[in-house]
């Protein structure tokens, strides 16, 4: 159909890597919470950590649909690892669209090659979906900005390298007083206060960060003062597409597990897939997954073509994340009691999928944006 030979090559390469290098150890990473640094290095060698970054900045120079396809495959192997890749893609997108040439050369190039891992620090303890309620401040002192405040639920906040941090430079200006900065993780004043203990995606850390008089060179300001809110919102579109793709991957993994189990499990003298109650459920799961994938691919193609696709990206993210939870839940039901124990993957997949309806904007926020678009 609309997939080119290049798209199919990306899918095949990433699927092979995910099946050989991510899937066999996903359950172990879930237990140990180990950050997948080795696996990320291997993905970097394949060009998977800079798919849409231009070649002049060490990226693969591919389109958004390629990125969506790759993230789905990575997520099918290990959902937590795919979250790190999603944030990497968001940070790269911000730098591609908003950084000056010097900033791109210094910060985008190491991200595009996969040498460094990106961090997106917007959320705060009292500011999630309401990004305009940020409390972290940045005041100008000579050639530096001094940042004070805290961030919450920051992916790769400890093990990452290059962070985009949003802070208020003009309190009186409201959301027009928010600015964005490039910050090196671990610099003086950058403190990892805690790593959260999560329900799922345990190899992908989320950190609480504190900034105490953190000095950031003025040259690390992204765009102009007051453009931070616009920068954040304009790039959430791509972030939502990434989470939609992630949702597809974890849902597909659950559907595959449920289908294989239904072929092997016998009751009343035949495999349970031959019982209409199970066969119909699998048919509904597969249909919903394909529908969510088509919505996601449509939005990715629109974005690549330079078309406005905020509404379509929100539709894709909402649909895919809702379907992912539903499919993972049904997969547990098909497994029966075995679905509730750690010996089978669907228990972990359900935990991994649940957050997809929350981050990058809850399902309720997606509906709000979609309704406004109507």
């Amino acid at each position: 159909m609309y997939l080119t030979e290049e798209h199919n090559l990306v899918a095949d390469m990433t699927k092979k890597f995910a099946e050989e290098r991510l899937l066999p150890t996903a359950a172990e990473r879930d237990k140990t919470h180990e950050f997948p640094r080795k696996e990320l290095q291997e993905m970097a060698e394949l060009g998977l950590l800079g798919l849409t970054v231009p070649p002049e900045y060490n990226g693969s120079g591919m389109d958004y649909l390629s990125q969506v396809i790759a993230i789905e495959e990575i997520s099918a192997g290990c959902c937590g690892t795919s979250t790190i890749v999603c944030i990497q893609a968001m940070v790269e997108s911000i730098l591609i669209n908003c950084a000056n040439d010097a900033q791109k050369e210094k910060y985008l190039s190491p991200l595009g090659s996969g040498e460094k891992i990106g961090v997106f620090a917007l959320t705060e303890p009292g500011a999630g979906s309401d990004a305009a309620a940020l409390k972290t401040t940045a005041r100008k002192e000579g050639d530096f900005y001094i940042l004070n405040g805290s961030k919450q639920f920051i992916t790769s906040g400890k093990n990452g390298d290059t962070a985009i941090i949003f802070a208020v430079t003009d309190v009186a200006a409201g959301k027009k007083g928010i600015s964005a900065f490039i910050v090196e993780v671990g610099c003086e004043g950058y403190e990892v206060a805690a790593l959260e203990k999560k329900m799922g995606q345990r190899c992908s850390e989320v950190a609480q960060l504190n900034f105490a008089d953190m000095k950031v060179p003025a040259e690390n300001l992204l765009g102009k003062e007051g453009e931070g809110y616009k920068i954040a919102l304009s790039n959430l579109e791509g972030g939502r597409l990434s989470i939609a793709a992630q949702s597809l991957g974890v849902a597909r993994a659950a559907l595959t597990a449920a289908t294989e189990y239904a072929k092997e499990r016998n009751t009343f003298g035949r495999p349970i897939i031959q019982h209409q109650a199970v066969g119909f459920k699998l048919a509904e799961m597969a249909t919903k997954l394909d529908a969510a994938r088509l919505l996601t691919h449509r939005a990715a193609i629109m974005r690549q073509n330079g078309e406005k696709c905020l509404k379509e990206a929100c539709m894709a993210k909402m649909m895919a994340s809702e379907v992912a939870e539903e499919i993972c839940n049904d997969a547990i039901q098909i497994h029966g009691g075995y679905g509730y124990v750690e010996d089978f993957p669907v228990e972990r997949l359900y935990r991994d999928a649940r957050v997809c309806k929350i981050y990058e904007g809850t399902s309720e926020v997606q509906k709000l944006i979609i309704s406004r678009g109507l």
Side-chain angles (χ1 to χ4, degrees):
M1 296 192 303
Y2 53 86
L3 297 181
T4 66
E5 182 179 355
E6 185 178 71
H7 293 138
N8 289 323
L9 287 172
V10 169
D12 292 343
M13 176 188 70
T14 314
K15 183 176 184 178
K16 185 175 187 295
F17 174 82
E19 290 179 347
E20 293 179 357
R21 299 293 299 121
L22 295 178
L23 184 59
T25 51
E28 183 64 22
R29 278 191 299 277
D30 178 65
K31 294 177 181 177
T32 63
H33 302 204
E34 182 179 358
F35 189 80
R37 187 166 298 280
K38 182 179 179 182
E39 290 79 3
L40 290 169
Q41 290 173 347
E42 293 174 0
M43 280 191 276
E45 293 171 4
L46 295 174
L48 293 174
L49 296 188
L51 276 173
T52 62
V53 176
E56 57 265 34
Y57 296 109
N58 296 326
S60 301
M62 295 185 178
D63 60 16
Y64 287 108
L65 184 54
S66 297
Q67 182 170 282
V68 161
I69 290 168
I71 289 174
E72 176 180 341
E73 295 297 342
I74 294 167
S75 179
C78 178
C79 190
T81 300
S82 74
T83 294
I84 300 168
V85 179
C86 289
I87 298 300
Q88 179 87 350
M90 181 185 290
V91 172
E92 290 167 345
S93 177
I94 291 174
L95 294 177
I96 290 169
N97 295 321
C98 307
N100 58 41
D101 291 342
Q103 291 170 337
K104 288 179 182 179
E105 187 63 39
K106 184 175 181 179
Y107 296 106
L108 180 58
S109 291
L111 290 166
S113 67
E115 176 188 343
K116 293 191 175 182
I117 300 299
V119 180
F120 182 79
L122 175 65
T123 301
E124 297 184 359
S129 296
D130 184 10
L134 297 184
K135 300 297 183 185
T136 297
T137 60
R139 71 177 188 276
K140 184 80 177 292
E141 286 190 5
D143 294 332
F144 293 89
Y145 284 89
I146 310 300
L147 272 64
N148 284 279
S150 60
K151 297 292 179 180
Q152 184 72 20
F153 303 131
I154 306 304
T155 298
S156 305
K158 178 182 179 181
N159 279 290
D161 302 288
T162 303
I164 306 296
I165 296 178
F166 297 84
V168 178
T169 47
D170 185 352
V171 177
K175 64 184 181 183
K176 293 184 179 180
I178 298 172
S179 301
F181 302 89
I182 306 171
V183 176
E184 294 186 12
V185 172
C187 67
E188 187 176 353
Y190 183 107
E191 177 193 354
V192 179
L195 295 179
E196 302 296 343
K197 296 179 180 179
K198 298 181 292 156
M199 175 181 177
Q201 298 195 25
R202 291 170 175 170
C203 71
S204 169
E205 67 189 23
V206 291
Q208 178 185 334
L209 306 177
N210 291 336
F211 310 133
D213 291 332
M214 183 172 67
K215 294 177 68 174
V216 178
E219 63 189 29
N220 284 23
L221 174 69
L222 266 175
K224 300 177 182 177
E225 281 195 13
E227 291 185 344
Y229 189 74
K230 181 177 68 174
I231 289 171
L233 293 189
S234 65
N235 287 282
L236 286 177
E237 185 180 273
R240 285 165 180 150
L241 280 177
S242 292
I243 301 307
Q246 177 185 68
S247 301
L248 297 175
V250 70
R252 196 185 82 204
L255 174 60
T256 299
T259 303
E260 292 304 313
Y261 181 82
K263 290 177 182 178
E264 297 171 0
R265 171 68 168 167
N266 286 284
T267 64
F268 305 103
R270 55 179 173 169
I272 62 172
I273 197 170
Q274 295 180 15
H275 296 302
Q276 193 176 84
V278 175
F280 277 18
K281 187 180 290 292
L282 287 167
E284 291 172 357
M285 293 159 69
T287 301
K288 290 175 181 177
L289 177 59
D290 271 8
R293 182 179 292 110
L294 288 171
L295 277 176
T296 304
H297 286 190
R298 177 188 68 166
I301 292 170
M302 291 177 68
R303 181 171 170 82
Q304 185 62 39
N305 291 340
E307 301 175 48
K308 292 183 179 179
C309 63
L310 178 59
K311 175 167 62 70
E312 289 77 11
C314 290
M315 286 179 171
K317 195 271 185 185
M318 182 186 74
M319 178 74 165
S321 61
E322 296 278 345
V323 163
E325 185 192 24
E326 185 177 338
I327 288 176
C328 289
N329 182 63
D330 287 341
I332 290 175
Q333 194 70 18
I334 288 170
H335 278 72
Y338 290 114
Y340 199 66
V341 298
E342 293 182 357
D343 294 345
F344 288 78
V346 290
E347 176 270 342
R348 169 176 51 83
L349 294 171
Y350 180 87
R351 290 188 287 105
D352 286 347
R354 183 59 184 87
V355 74
C356 294
K357 291 170 57 176
I358 297 173
Y359 55 17
E360 294 306 318
T362 64
S363 292
E364 291 74 21
V365 167
Q366 308 307 317
K367 292 175 184 177
L368 178 64
I369 297 171
I370 293 166
S371 66
R372 287 173 177 171
L374 298 176

